[in-house]
Amino acid sequence: MPDMSASASLAMTHLVTLAELDEDKVTPGVLGFIVFAVMALAVWGLMKSMNRHMGKVDFKEPAERDAAGGGGEAKPQRS
């Protein structure tokens, strides 16, 4: 059983070292958050604009083409 407590103590030591703040590590900070927030707002605006523009697109073909073309598909001409 002493082996079990040694491994538990080692695991706790690793968890404690992960929780401590290391001054030598680089973190994104406030500037990183601001840049990320601006990029997220830009993507949101672009998606909203794209949705608005896609709503204006008419995917249906006009009925005049069907009546004038005879209703059949056009066959490619061979030369």
Side-chain angles (χ1 to χ4, degrees):
M1 290 283 179
D3 190 29
M4 187 69 133
S5 64
S7 63
S9 134
L10 183 62
M12 289 303 288
T13 305
H14 285 295
L15 287 175
V16 170
T17 56
L18 289 175
E20 292 177 5
L21 180 63
D22 188 6
E23 295 295 328
D24 295 330
K25 290 185 180 177
V26 177
T27 60
V30 176
L31 180 62
F33 175 75
I34 291 172
V35 169
F36 182 78
V38 167
M39 288 174 56
L41 285 172
V43 168
W44 178 76
L46 285 171
M47 292 294 289
K48 190 170 175 123
S49 174
M50 183 188 71
N51 195 16
R52 190 178 315 124
H53 281 85
M54 291 299 286
K56 293 179 183 178
V57 175
D58 184 21
F59 290 105
K60 296 179 183 176
E61 292 193 20
E64 299 166 2
R65 268 195 193 166
D66 291 339
E73 290 187 34
K75 294 182 181 177
Q77 295 180 359
R78 296 183 184 178
S79 50

